[in-house]
Amino acid sequence: MATYAPQELAVALKDGLLSFPVTPFTADGAVDEQRYRDHIDWQSSFPIGGLFAAGGTGEGFSLTPQESAQVVRLAVETAGGRTPVLGSAGGNTAQAIENARAAQDAGAEGLLLLPPYLTEADQDGLLEHASAVCAATDLGVIVYNRGNAIYSATTVARLAERHPNFIGFKDAIGDIEHLTRVYATNGDRLFYLGGLPTAETYALPLLQLGMSTYSSAMYNFVPEFALEFYRDVRAQNHAAVTEKLRRFVLPYLDIRDRTKGYGVSIVKGGMKAIGRDMGSVRAPLQDLTAQDLADLSALLDAAGVRPAPADGAPAGTTADADAAVDTLAG
Ligand SMILES: O=CCCC(=O)C(=O)O
């Protein structure tokens, strides 16, 4: 049962970094419940705005509806009220409604509405798709401007007029004029979050377009660095942000860009490199090669961003990464 009213959820999310946890799989490909609980417990131990289970970095696009509800339930139970947990609703309209209701039943506080499956959609169709999902749940709904779901400023305004539980706009396109129109038209009626791959890269400029937060994939494995980065962005400390971009984020992008789909795979690579192995990604994604993993681990050391060892948890070291690389290299 949700504890946040939609507008209360928007207030909680908009001024905190947003966690998009990976979903660990066992060697035979099932959701690894214990490792997920351990990860959510760690991710929830820091001061974040919220946690999105089954998001993009959580390979939500590769989870069955049952698995999506399963990870939401696990995240809600493990977070234990330390931070609001949201689920995702994807697929065609009927599937998205089913996913939304399952996430609500699993205890989610809100929903990220993923783009509809496969088909192209024009504005009136997108409005009816998103409207049907908003009408099917009491939870706060955030639309994801991505792929075939490009919501115009007017469509966003029409959806906001219809549904008080429509609370947020997440963007993964990065069209400055479009974002300016959406923000100028809708203002404080919504909150805005960056969702481009490795969102830190764009966080400081997008702050000027109302994007007070963003989905941080790297928060999975370098939480302290990610939180310090977010603090510097909100303080508009250009020098500190630029220094962190140069030291870690930009060299990280160089590894990420070696293979399509690495945007998620590199996060699981980061988990291996810090000694918190979360298993492999599901097809169609590919795991990092042994060399890419070794390069990522070396970057963590060179940039000085490895997380502090938690009590009783593995203190991620180069030795851990070397072991992971040896395993990968066979
Ligand atoms: O780095 C950020 C992108 C992650 C994201 O938006 C998602 O996991 O859905």
Side-chain angles (χ1 to χ4, degrees):
M1 182 66 183
T3 61
Y4 288 79
Q7 290 308 325
E8 291 172 340
L9 180 62
V11 170
L13 296 176
K14 72 183 185 63
D15 289 323
L17 190 63
L18 302 179
S19 164
F20 278 66
V22 294
T23 304
F25 302 118
T26 61
D28 62 6
V31 171
D32 189 324
E33 291 208 354
Q34 189 51 55
R35 277 198 288 184
Y36 192 65
R37 289 183 188 277
D38 293 344
H39 188 46
I40 297 298
D41 186 44
W42 186 46
Q43 296 278 279
S44 302
S45 67
F46 296 92
I48 53 176
L51 184 146
F52 288 65
T57 306
E59 297 177 73
F61 44 83
S62 295
L63 298 180
T64 66
Q66 295 72 27
E67 290 172 330
S68 190
Q70 175 188 12
V71 298
V72 169
R73 177 179 51 78
L74 290 169
V76 169
E77 290 171 358
T78 307
R82 289 174 286 178
T83 192
V85 172
L86 294 87
S88 62
N92 61 47
T93 308
Q95 288 166 332
I97 289 171
E98 183 183 319
N99 291 342
R101 288 173 172 159
Q104 182 166 337
D105 292 344
E109 297 289 353
L111 292 166
L112 177 63
L113 177 57
L114 304 177
Y117 179 65
L118 192 62
T119 181
E120 293 309 308
D122 207 344
Q123 293 305 311
D124 288 348
L126 272 180
L127 173 64
E128 295 313 320
H129 171 72
S131 187
V133 178
C134 288
T137 178
D138 302 323
L139 300 181
V141 177
I142 299 162
V143 297
Y144 199 176
N145 190 65
R146 183 172 184 161
N148 59 356
I150 307 302
Y151 297 84
S152 72
T154 302
T155 300
V156 171
R158 291 169 71 190
L159 190 63
E161 179 68 27
R162 284 189 188 182
H163 301 285
N165 64 323
F166 169 40
I167 60 171
F169 180 90
K170 180 182 177 188
D171 177 68
I173 300 294
D175 178 330
I176 299 301
E177 179 182 338
H178 178 210
L179 295 178
T180 300
R181 289 179 182 276
V182 169
Y183 183 51
T185 303
N186 296 280
D188 293 340
R189 166 62 181 81
L190 301 169
F191 84 102
Y192 305 85
L193 57 151
L196 283 157
T198 315
E200 281 80 2
T201 315
Y202 316 89
L204 189 57
L206 290 182
L207 191 62
Q208 308 311 315
L209 293 177
M211 292 206 163
S212 61
T213 186
Y214 49 87
S215 47
S216 176
M218 66 172 67
Y219 172 76
N220 275 276
F221 62 96
V222 286
E224 292 98 337
F225 173 83
L227 285 167
E228 287 169 18
F229 191 101
Y230 179 64
R231 178 204 61 201
D232 293 337
V233 167
R234 290 302 303 270
Q236 301 195 55
N237 185 337
H238 287 239
V241 170
T242 302
E243 187 278 330
K244 289 180 171 70
L245 287 170
R246 284 198 186 114
R247 174 158 49 97
F248 180 66
V249 178
L250 297 180
Y252 174 81
L253 298 186
D254 292 340
I255 300 171
R256 182 204 71 181
D257 291 344
R258 291 177 183 172
T259 300
K260 278 186 180 178
Y262 258 16
V264 174
S265 309
I266 197 171
V267 179
K268 280 191 167 174
M271 298 304 296
K272 284 189 175 74
I274 66 167
R276 290 175 177 261
D277 191 350
M278 290 286 140
S280 295
V281 292
R282 279 182 174 171
L285 302 183
Q286 300 164 253
D287 285 326
L288 265 57
T289 65
Q291 185 58 59
D292 293 339
L293 180 59
D295 293 346
L296 176 59
S297 180
L299 174 59
L300 293 177
D301 290 329
V305 297
R306 283 187 182 279
D311 296 340
T317 64
T318 304
D320 291 291
D322 289 348
V325 169
D326 292 345
T327 304
L328 274 174

